[in-house]
């Protein structure tokens, strides 16, 4: 009787369990888990494992994976992917991956590293709490979903090196926001945890998180590709102290032996700026400590960098990691990417000698498989072009970056020149669209402006960068004619335009007072901005008013293309009125320039550049005004290498494209100082970032202005070829286009220009040179004309 009752009870419990399991499967479509008792927002590194057996290898096994803050996935010991792509809680990303290529018949292991970098996590990380999600698209494989069938372990080997310990302010100007360094103790690390052979019997069962259908992450699928990854190695050892370096080390033919009770220091040079995940492999040397420091360049003193190729008598300073050895063969790899040209390894050994076996790095950046090309008879110009493309690659990851070393943040103002470069080097616009889509999600509900950078945890908005976002949408539309994408952003466009409309002083028609941050450019003189500091109130600024007018002009053209004629005419009238007001109040007849303010005490290149771009002066007067912009010697502020993006646009608009090669001083200066990417400003007073993609636009202008490859209509359905060779004798260039590759070849012979223009099938256009206008057809077009 007792057995029968027990059986009945067991059957009843089983039915209840099965019913509840089905209900859970129906309701819990986002199976988030975490380590039990984990600090939900604090620093922590966690491991998750799931072992399972397959009777046969599946043809396909698509899974979704995500984590807060980040994850790294291994399948059968092989690194498969890492993510998720950056986003925010409104559109938190999960990655989709086919596991089938990594699986085998029989026993398999899925292993996932999950980490939360705590209070000092990169400013671009938006987080709710430590958590991990894994699920199969196919219900047949639901047994691999993240649940209590997994095992988890908290890794106590990690101790974060916080910002105050990195001490970035001592030698480095400005803001650092890329997360803490890693201090790792090898004797605490669960080595081999990602392999099937590892014994996880002592690991815990994860906690299943129940949010009652209200998880803080609104999950959406990753909408950009996985990062390009490949291995890179240092090209030279520039100096070594306390140790002898055998000649075959960099080629992997020998190891560096550091004797016991020794302090040694080795400086590695990758010879170009790069980014990714360094991997330092050592053996023996129990009780040794290795400090791995990363830098763009070496320093003459605090805030003063030396020539980028120089190391003698210079100080290596930068953020760092620390690895403590346990005597076994181990590889140290930081959990988040680093950016560097130089890597210095500072070694302190204990009672045993240490073998340094290798140093290499896994590059991580957005894939650009089919970039533009430029080759001329000027080797320095060719190098400049390649430096610009390298800068673009280094500043493209899961978002565009301002600087990969210091911030890895996506700023609305930076993104305009970055996007223009990318349009000439890729037909893959997914990263651009993601940046444009994400940015309005940071909207301030009161002002309708967006954050300075986003994704970010900043709590302030930025007016000018919100305007730049509108400008960038117009640039995109010119190239792609993507009506559907732009239409969905109509509301945030209106919000930005209306904020400035509400802040117009109707008595003068100029903006002000403005109670928001309005960065325009770095100052040549003060290391600040050509306006008062961002927190100050701006009143009647011609520069800001014309920047608004330029944005309105972009918006008007967008509305016209979208068929919104009423909105187009309305904003066109607003723009016309404020341009007239700027000219009335700020034009200086004696100087033949527009002043920055109505009192006419301050003048900048910036204001007059913008006056050309938005037709605040009549088109017939623009060539003369541009000549004043580049010749007037008494400006209070001059454009940096960033704002030169607008200078060159004004140059092109004013018909002065033949002057382009005469105004590359900033970039020639970068080359003279040994840069391999382009820096932040070009001003000696602001020598912070060696890699800043807002300065890389000469690579764009070499194709669009010098080679003259330009969209002839919105959507780039036709091409306009209007070269400005600026004295070059020979040029060959190409760029990707959705229909194929556009190629141009120019050669100057005996006072004549011989041109060959090759257009892909389905693309036609026009040749415009001097007074010549010749139609171009798909295929090879050959033209000979007098210079």
């Amino acid at each position: 009787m007792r057995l029968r009752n027990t059986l009945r009870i067991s059957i009843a419990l089983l039915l209840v369990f099965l019913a509840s399991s089905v209900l859970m499967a129906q309701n819990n479509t986002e199976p988030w888990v975490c380590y039990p008792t984990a600090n939900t927002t604090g620093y922590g590194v966690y491991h998750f494992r799931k072992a399972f057996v397959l009777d046969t290898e599946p043809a396909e096994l698509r899974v979704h994976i995500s984590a807060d803050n980040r994850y790294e996935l291994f399948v059968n010991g092989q690194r498969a992917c890492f993510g998720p792509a950056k986003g925010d809680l409104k559109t938190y990303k999960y990655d989709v991956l086919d596991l089938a290529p990594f699986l085998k018949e029989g026993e398999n292991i899925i292993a996932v590293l999950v980490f939360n970098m705590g209070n000092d996590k990169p400013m671009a990380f938006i987080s709710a709490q430590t958590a991990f999600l894994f699920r199969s698209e196919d219900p047949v494989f639901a047994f691999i979903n993240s649940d209590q069938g997994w095992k988890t372990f908290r890794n106590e080997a990690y101790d974060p090196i916080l910002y105050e310990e990195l001490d970035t302010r001592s030698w480095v100007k400005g803001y650092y926001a890329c997360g803490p360094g890693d201090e790792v103790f090898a004797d605490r690390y669960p080595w081999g945890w990602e392999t099937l052979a590892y014994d996880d019997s002592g690991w815990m069962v994860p906690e299943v998180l129940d949010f009652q259908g209200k998880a803080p992450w609104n999950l959406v699928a990753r909408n950009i590709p996985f990062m390009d990854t490949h291995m890179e190695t240092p090209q030279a050892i520039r100096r070594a102290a306390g140790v002898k370096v055998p000649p075959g080390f960099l080629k992997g033919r020998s190891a560096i032996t550091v004797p016991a009770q020794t302090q040694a220091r080795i400086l590695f040079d990758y010879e170009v700026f790069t980014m990714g995940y360094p991997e330092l492999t050592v053996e023996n040397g129990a009780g040794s400590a290795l400090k791995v420091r990363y830098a763009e360049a070496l320093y003459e003193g605090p805030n003063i960098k030396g020539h980028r190729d120089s190391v003698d008598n210079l100080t290596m300073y930068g953020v760092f990691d620390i690895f403590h050895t346990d005597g076994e063969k181990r590889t140290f790899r930081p959990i988040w990417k680093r950016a560097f040209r130089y890597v210095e390894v500072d070694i302190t050994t204990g009672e045993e000698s240490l073998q340094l076996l290798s140093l290499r790095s896994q590059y991580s950046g957005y894939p650009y498989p089919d970039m533009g090309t430029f080759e001329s008879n000027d080797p320095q110009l060719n190098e400049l072009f390649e430096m610009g493309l390298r800068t673009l690659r280094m500043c493209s990851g899961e978002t565009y970056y301002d600087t990969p070393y210091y911030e890895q943040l996506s700023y609305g103002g930076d993104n305009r020149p970055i996007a223009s470069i990318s349009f000439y080097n890729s037909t893959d616009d997914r990263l651009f669209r993601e940046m444009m889509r994400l940015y309005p999600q940071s909207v301030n509900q009161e002002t309708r402006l967006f954050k300075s950078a986003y994704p970010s945890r900043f709590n302030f908005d930025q007016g000018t960068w919100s305007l730049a976002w509108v400008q960038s949408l117009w640039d995109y539309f010119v190239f792609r004619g993507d009506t559907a994408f732009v239409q969905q952003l109509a509301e945030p466009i209106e919000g930005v335009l209306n904020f400035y409309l509400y802040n117009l002083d109707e008595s003068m028609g100029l903006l002000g007072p403005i109670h928001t941050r309005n960065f325009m450019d770095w100052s040549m003189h003060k290391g600040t901005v050509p306006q008062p500091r961002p927190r100050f109130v701006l009143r009647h600024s011609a520069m800001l008013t014309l920047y608004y007018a330029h944005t309105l002009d972009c918006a008007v053209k967008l509305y016209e293309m979208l068929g919104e004629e009423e909105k187009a005419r309305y904003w066109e009238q607003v723009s016309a009125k404020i341009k007239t007001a700027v000219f009335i109040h700020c034009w200086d007849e004696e100087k033949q320039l527009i002043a920055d303010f109505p009192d006419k005490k301050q003048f900048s290149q910036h204001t007059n550049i913008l006056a050309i771009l938005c037709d605040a002066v009549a088109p017939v007067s623009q060539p003369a005004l541009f000549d004043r912009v580049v010749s007037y010697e008494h400006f209070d502020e001059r454009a940096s290498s960033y704002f030169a993006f607008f200078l060159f646009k004004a140059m092109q608009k004013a018909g002065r494209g033949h002057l382009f090669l005469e105004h590359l001083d900033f970039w020639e200066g970068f080359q003279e100082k040994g840069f391999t990417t382009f820096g932040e400003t070009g001003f000696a007073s602001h020598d912070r970032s060696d890699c800043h993609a807002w300065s890389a636009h000469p690579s764009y202008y070499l194709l669009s202005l010098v080679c003259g490859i330009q969209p002839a209509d919105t959507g780039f359905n036709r091409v306009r070829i209007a070269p400005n060779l600026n004295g070059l004798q020979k040029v060959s260039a190409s760029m990707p286009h959705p229909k194929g590759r556009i190629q141009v070849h120019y050669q100057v012979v005996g006072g004549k220009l011989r041109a060959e223009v090759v257009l892909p099938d389905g693309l036609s256009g026009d040749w415009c040179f001097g007074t010549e206008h010749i139609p171009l057809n798909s295929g090879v077009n050959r033209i000979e004309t007098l210079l």
Side-chain angles (χ1 to χ4, degrees), residues 253-268:
R253 295 194 293 265
S254 58
I256 298 174
T257 300
V258 185
Q261 301 291 342
T262 296
Q263 286 191 328
R265 183 171 294 168
I266 309 169
L267 180 65
F268 297 91

Side-chain angles (χ1 to χ4, degrees), residues 427-580:
T427 56
D428 175 6
D429 302 315
R430 286 176 289 178
L431 185 59
F432 172 83
R433 288 196 299 268
E434 174 68 355
M435 294 301 89
M436 294 299 103
R437 186 195 61 76
L438 271 172
Y439 205 43
Q441 291 181 190
S442 70
V443 67
N444 181 319
Q445 295 300 326
E446 180 179 352
T447 66
R448 310 307 299 174
L449 301 177
F450 315 139
K451 288 186 178 182
S452 176
Y454 200 73
S456 77
R457 302 191 305 283
F458 289 151
N459 59 3
F460 61 87
D461 56 33
Q462 176 85 297
T464 41
W465 279 183
S466 303
L467 294 171
W469 173 81
V470 179
Q471 299 166 17
S472 299
L473 283 175
W474 169 244
D475 291 345
Y476 172 65
F477 198 87
V478 169
F479 273 82
R480 305 296 185 235
D482 191 346
T483 302
F485 179 75
V486 175
Q487 278 181 329
Q488 66 181 324
L489 300 170
E491 183 178 347
I493 292 173
E494 285 285 296
V496 171
L497 300 183
N498 277 317
F499 170 83
Y500 284 94
L501 180 63
Y502 298 152
N503 283 276
L504 273 176
D505 182 341
E506 294 183 4
S507 67
M508 296 185 70
L510 304 178
L511 285 172
I514 294 286
H515 297 267
T516 185
R517 298 191 180 207
N518 285 288
F519 181 96
M520 293 291 288
D521 191 15
W522 288 109
S523 165
M524 175 178 64
H525 296 110
K526 303 172 186 176
T528 60
V529 289
Q531 301 277 3
R533 286 298 290 170
R535 292 185 181 84
F536 291 8
V537 175
L538 282 175
R539 188 184 304 270
H540 302 151
S541 164
M543 185 190 305
L544 183 58
T545 303
L546 291 177
Y547 194 73
Y548 177 43
H550 175 52
T551 308
L552 288 175
D553 293 346
C554 293
V556 166
K557 288 179 281 192
L558 276 173
Y559 285 133
E560 288 173 343
M561 292 299 108
L562 297 177
E564 298 274 3
E565 284 297 326
E566 185 176 345
K567 286 184 179 179
R569 300 290 75 80
Y570 173 76
W571 289 114
E572 185 178 44
Q573 291 174 13
V574 173
S575 179
K577 287 180 181 178
I578 63 178
K579 293 172 193 174
T580 300

Side-chain angles (χ1 to χ4, degrees), residues 622-648:
Q622 290 173 15
L625 178 56
F626 184 84
D627 292 343
R628 287 291 279 165
V629 166
V630 296
S631 64
Y632 185 67
E633 297 180 354
H634 304 293
F635 280 121
D636 295 280
E637 297 292 351
R638 293 182 176 275
S640 74
S641 57
Y642 156 61
F643 209 85
F645 174 79
F646 298 93
L647 171 71
F648 296 146

